[in-house]
Amino acid sequence: MNVAEAGPPGVGEGVSAGADAGVGPGVAGRGTAGRRLGPVALVVAGGLSVQFGSAVAVLLMPRAGALGVVTLRLVLAAAVLLIVCRPKVRGYGRADWGTVLVFGAAMAAMNILFYQAADRIPLGAAVTLEVLGPLILSVVASRRLTNLLWAGLALGGVVLLSGGGFDRLDPAGAAFALAAGAMWAAYIVFSARTGRRFPQADGLALAMAFGAVLSLPFGIVEAGDKLLVPSTIGLGLAVALMSSVLPYTLELLALRRLPAPTFAVLMSLEPAIAATAGFLLLSQALSLLDALAIALVIAASIGAVRTQARAARRDAQDATPAER
């Protein structure tokens, strides 16, 4: 099944299991285990990087504030990507620029909202609420019953990871995390579209630059000249590399080869990774309930990948010679 057939306009256009996703027809049929697991490894590596970067960002917030950290992250990440990629700005149409600008706006909004949440509630709880956005996307974008079941299992893990404490969280922090989840779903869709319209990471660099411009006034108002302290800039650069440059590049590459529903359910790994980062860097202990929740989320992610791999093999076997 093609993701374009699975959901409403926008979600379906993000990534397909065929040529539109940048994967040649029949790849799944002739693919090796490495080909199937390659994009999955990219997503997992990106998750590890972004969540440990988020933990460093929490440590930086007392110096620059939540909005100041967002500005440092996006501005420095944009600078790195623009220097490395040197993207071309000619030869693109209005639709191309519209896509990259919406992608950049979604990135900026997602980061601003998430750091507002992380400044008010624990990191694990913030990511747990945020991941509901990709989970809902996975349900909307797929008509396969098995994908709905895996998404439901992952959602169960997310609820367990909350420890039943969402009602005791700061209401504003919880609301910011949920809103960040909505922007995360938009990020998934427009990252995929950007990856199809722009070569390499050029679209990501341009989108990041636009997101940095959008965030800059907020950071200046909140942090002012604190953003210019050398040690703060150094930590901000670490956050930029770990939370933006590396993970967004890996995810953009993965979205060219991985169907959107599978990618969205893989995002369920994020609360587990965040809990680990919180334990190692922020001294946030893991309970037995947390461990069970992590196991459920990982099981759901593995199940989603295996289901998609079997579906891709069946689709390749059923394809006509002309379609191959």
Side-chain angles (χ1 to χ4, degrees), residues 124-125 127-129 131-132 135 151-169 268 271 287 289-290 292-294 296-297:
V127 177
T128 298
L129 285 171
V131 82
L132 293 179
L135 280 172
L153 181 61
L155 180 59
V158 166
V159 172
L160 280 179
L161 195 60
S162 74
F166 286 158
D167 59 335
R168 297 190 298 274
L169 294 175
S268 302
S287 67
L289 191 63
D290 293 333
L292 177 58
I294 289 171
L296 286 177
V297 171

Side-chain angles (χ1 to χ4, degrees), residues 223-319:
D225 58 4
K226 294 179 182 177
L227 298 176
L228 302 178
V229 176
S231 60
T232 300
I233 293 175
L235 285 173
L237 181 60
V239 172
L241 294 174
M242 294 174 67
S243 294
S244 291
V245 176
L246 181 58
Y248 289 173
T249 301
L250 294 176
E251 289 172 4
L252 186 145
L253 295 175
L255 277 165
R256 289 174 174 167
R257 300 168 54 193
L258 197 65
T262 303
F263 179 86
V265 177
L266 278 171
M267 292 295 96
S268 302
L269 287 170
E270 299 287 349
I273 298 171
T276 303
F279 173 73
L280 294 176
L281 299 183
L282 304 175
S283 300
Q284 298 173 352
L286 291 173
S287 67
L288 290 177
L289 191 63
D290 293 333
L292 177 58
I294 289 171
L296 286 177
V297 171
I298 292 175
S301 299
I302 293 173
V305 173
R306 289 176 63 86
T307 297
Q308 183 57 43
R310 288 195 297 267
R313 286 196 297 270
R314 286 196 300 269
D315 290 343
Q317 291 170 357
D318 293 341

Side-chain angles (χ1 to χ4, degrees), residues 65-318:
L67 294 175
V69 173
V70 172
T71 296
L72 283 171
R73 170 179 170 174
L74 293 181
V75 169
L76 293 173
V80 171
L81 285 172
L82 290 173
I83 292 172
V84 172
C85 298
R86 292 182 292 179
K88 297 179 180 179
V89 296
R90 295 182 179 180
Y92 297 109
R94 182 177 299 178
D96 299 321
W97 284 111
T99 297
V100 82
L101 292 180
V102 174
F103 182 30
M107 271 197 292
M110 178 178 68
N111 282 286
I112 289 171
L113 291 166
F114 176 75
Y115 282 146
Q116 287 295 316
D119 197 31
R120 291 168 169 83
I121 60 178
L123 181 62
V127 177
T128 298
L129 285 171
E130 187 191 26
V131 82
L132 293 179
L135 280 172
I136 292 171
L137 175 63
S138 73
V139 172
V140 171
S142 175
R143 291 176 181 171
R144 294 185 186 275
L145 179 60
T146 48
N147 279 344
L148 300 182
L149 293 175
W150 290 126
L153 181 61
L155 180 59
V158 166
V159 172
L160 280 179
L161 195 60
S162 74
F166 286 158
D167 59 335
R168 297 190 298 274
L169 294 175
D170 177 85
F176 279 125
L178 290 171
M183 290 299 99
W184 195 356
Y187 158 80
I188 291 172
V189 173
F190 284 94
S191 177
R193 294 185 188 182
T194 300
R196 289 164 49 196
R197 291 177 178 272
F198 292 82
Q200 304 303 324
D202 285 10
L204 175 62
L206 295 170
M208 189 76 72
F210 182 63
V213 171
L214 292 179
S215 72
L216 191 58
F218 297 99
I220 292 175
V221 168
E222 179 168 270
D225 58 4
K226 294 179 182 177
L227 298 176
L228 302 178
V229 176
S231 60
T232 300
I233 293 175
L235 285 173
L237 181 60
V239 172
L241 294 174
M242 294 174 67
S243 294
S244 291
V245 176
L246 181 58
Y248 289 173
T249 301
L250 294 176
E251 289 172 4
L252 186 145
L253 295 175
L255 277 165
R256 289 174 174 167
R257 300 168 54 193
L258 197 65
T262 303
F263 179 86
V265 177
L266 278 171
M267 292 295 96
S268 302
L269 287 170
E270 299 287 349
I273 298 171
T276 303
F279 173 73
L280 294 176
L281 299 183
L282 304 175
S283 300
Q284 298 173 352
L286 291 173
S287 67
L288 290 177
L289 191 63
D290 293 333
L292 177 58
I294 289 171
L296 286 177
V297 171
I298 292 175
S301 299
I302 293 173
V305 173
R306 289 176 63 86
T307 297
Q308 183 57 43
R310 288 195 297 267
R313 286 196 297 270
R314 286 196 300 269
D315 290 343
Q317 291 170 357
D318 293 341

